[in-house]
């Protein structure tokens, strides 16, 4: 069995797990498999998927990014503060995304130029980004943005609203949330980049054997920088979307998002050893986590128990990956 067949097998196993979860929750709760709840799951999962795609790019190179959650918070705060200074909303949001990209670039420089272990470099950035977000806001939420700031996070394509019998608006079709559309577009673009572009092949080569990649002429430091910048930009995008959804930027937001990002990648078949993983797999992993959280919530399961269950899922998934790696050796 070649590597492509193994990747396909992993994706099919993850997809089968997702379908089983959907079936189980549909049986346990009549409201789970409804159009409104499906759109809700898509909206909630879009943030996890975006940061998970960024984490996948980094993990494929053999690295790790622990700063994701803090960058999400800082980017949302930056976008809100830019808009409150009078900058047009689209430009303010773009500024927030660029702040995320700068954090990712700093991570890449620390890993490639300063030769810091990725764990230490991104752990430091996690603390710095969170500290900056808290300092510039004095630990208070940023609000007061115009109504248009909420369109990105709360708008939906093809939404149908009619006037009800009581004169109040009646939603006939909730529409496809804009964050879900963005998630799909980003997933398609990164899938294309990793599979068809030279930089994508280089990312896989570095994760498989960095020294061999370097000796073959690949500028390994430059490619690793691209991966960390991508992770930062996607964290920034997720932060802006989250701030838009809440119409408030929380400097304390995004806590433990880095764990969701890593979990979605690992559950979707990405190896923590590097060189193995796909964006579609990460997307499936994101939805497994999203469906788990939504279904457990609808069935009244405690948030503490949810953490235990998701933690066990991650442990089992990583254990299977480690067994697979040991068999290769």
């Amino acid at each position: 069995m070649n590597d492509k067949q193994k990747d396909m097998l992993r994706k099919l196993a993850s997809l089968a797990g997702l379908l089983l979860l959907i079936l189980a929750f549909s049986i346990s709760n009549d409201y789970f498999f409804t159009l409104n709840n499906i759109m809700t799951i898509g909206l909630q999962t879009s943030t996890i998927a975006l940061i998970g795609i960024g984490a996948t790019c980094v993990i494929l190179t053999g690295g790790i990014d622990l700063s994701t959650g803090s960058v999400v918070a800082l980017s949302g705060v930056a976008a809100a503060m830019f808009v409150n200074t009078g900058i047009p909303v689209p430009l303010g949001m773009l500024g927030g995304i660029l702040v995320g990209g700068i954090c990712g670039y700093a991570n890449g420089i620390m890993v490639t130029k300063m030769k810091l272990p990725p764990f230490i470099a991104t752990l430091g950035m996690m603390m710095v980004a969170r500290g900056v977000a808290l300092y510039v806001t004095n630990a208070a939420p940023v609000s007061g943005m115009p109504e248009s700031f909420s369109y990105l996070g709360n708008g939906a394509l093809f939404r149908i609203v009619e006037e009800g019998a009581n004169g109040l608006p009646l939603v006939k079709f909730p529409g496809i949330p804009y964050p879900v559309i963005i998630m799909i577009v980003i997933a398609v673009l990164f899938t294309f980049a990793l599979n068809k572009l030279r930089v994508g092949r280089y990312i896989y080569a570095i994760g498989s054997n960095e020294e061999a990649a370097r000796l073959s002429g690949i500028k390994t430091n430059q490619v690793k920088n691209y991966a960390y910048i991508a992770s930062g930009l996607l964290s920034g995008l997720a932060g802006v979307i989250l701030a838009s959804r809440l119409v408030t930027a929380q400097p304390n937001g995004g806590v433990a998002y880095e764990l969701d990002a890593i979990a979605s990648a690992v559950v979707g078949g990405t190896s923590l050893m590097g060189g193995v993983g796909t964006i579609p797999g990460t997307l499936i992993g994101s939805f497994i986590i999203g469906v788990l959280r939504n279904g457990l919530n609808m069935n009244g399961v405690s948030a503490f128990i949810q953490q235990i269950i998701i933690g066990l899922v991650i442990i089992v998934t990583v254990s299977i990956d480690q067994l697979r790696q040991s068999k290769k050796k």
Side-chain angles (χ1 to χ4, degrees):
M1 187 180 292
N2 59 37
D3 290 340
K4 285 187 177 180
Q5 290 174 326
K6 289 178 181 178
D7 283 342
M8 181 60 70
L9 192 61
R10 280 192 287 268
K11 278 188 279 189
L12 288 174
S14 298
L15 184 58
L18 176 59
L19 293 175
L20 284 173
L21 279 176
I22 293 172
L23 179 62
F25 287 131
S26 298
I27 294 171
S28 65
N29 193 302
D30 293 337
Y31 296 100
F32 178 81
F33 201 69
T34 60
L35 183 59
N36 282 335
N37 194 52
I38 290 171
M39 292 302 172
T40 298
I41 292 172
L43 183 59
Q44 293 171 342
T45 304
S46 60
T47 303
I48 300 173
L50 286 172
I51 59 178
I53 291 170
T56 300
C57 293
V58 172
I59 294 171
L60 284 174
T61 66
I64 199 81
D65 189 354
L66 300 178
S67 65
T68 298
S70 297
V71 174
V72 165
L74 179 59
S75 299
V77 164
M81 294 182 76
F82 287 151
V83 170
N84 280 347
T85 61
I87 296 175
V89 170
L91 290 179
M93 289 182 165
L94 179 60
I97 295 170
L98 290 177
V99 166
I102 291 169
C103 292
Y105 178 70
N107 282 333
I109 291 297
M110 287 188 286
V111 170
T112 59
K113 298 295 184 184
M114 298 173 64
K115 304 299 181 184
L116 295 179
F119 181 90
I120 299 300
T122 58
L123 180 64
M125 179 56 69
M126 177 180 74
M127 300 177 70
V128 170
R130 180 72 64 186
V132 171
L134 291 168
Y135 177 76
V136 298
T137 60
N138 200 24
V142 181
S143 57
M145 290 79 76
E147 185 182 354
S148 57
F149 188 82
S150 69
Y151 293 167
L152 178 66
N154 297 303
L157 190 66
F158 305 130
R159 178 178 287 170
I160 300 173
V161 182
E162 296 179 357
E163 185 176 335
N166 55 4
L168 297 174
L170 179 66
V171 178
K172 288 287 188 179
F173 177 65
I176 306 171
Y178 290 148
V180 173
I181 296 172
I182 292 171
M183 172 190 70
I184 293 170
V185 170
I186 292 294
V188 170
L189 289 175
F190 273 78
T191 299
F192 175 80
L194 288 176
N195 291 330
K196 301 298 182 182
L197 298 185
R198 188 178 300 173
V199 67
R201 295 194 294 272
Y202 288 173
I203 284 175
Y204 280 108
I206 290 170
S208 298
N209 190 325
E210 184 173 350
E211 183 61 18
R214 187 185 65 80
L215 292 174
S216 66
I218 296 173
K219 296 178 179 178
T220 55
N221 284 349
Q222 189 178 74
V223 174
K224 286 162 76 173
N225 265 333
Y226 291 155
Y228 282 99
I229 290 170
S231 180
L233 287 171
L234 291 178
S235 296
L237 177 58
V240 169
I241 290 173
L242 187 62
S244 176
R245 276 178 59 192
L246 301 174
V247 202
T248 304
Q250 298 280 354
N252 284 314
V255 175
Y257 274 29
E258 57 277 354
L259 303 182
D260 282 345
I262 296 168
S264 63
V266 171
V267 171
T270 301
S271 172
L272 288 172
M273 305 300 290
V276 176
T278 62
I279 300 303
T282 296
L283 210 58
I284 294 171
S286 301
F287 273 94
I288 287 175
I289 294 172
V291 167
L292 257 178
R293 285 216 172 105
N294 182 272
L296 293 173
N297 273 329
M298 294 191 76
N299 283 281
V301 177
S302 163
F304 307 125
I305 301 298
Q306 290 181 37
Q307 289 185 28
I308 294 170
I309 293 173
I310 293 173
L312 289 173
V313 169
I314 295 170
I315 290 170
V316 170
T317 306
V318 174
S319 298
I320 292 171
D321 178 60
Q322 291 297 314
L323 285 172
R324 190 164 54 236
Q325 294 295 330
S326 63
K327 285 181 179 178
K328 284 183 179 180
K329 294 176 182 179

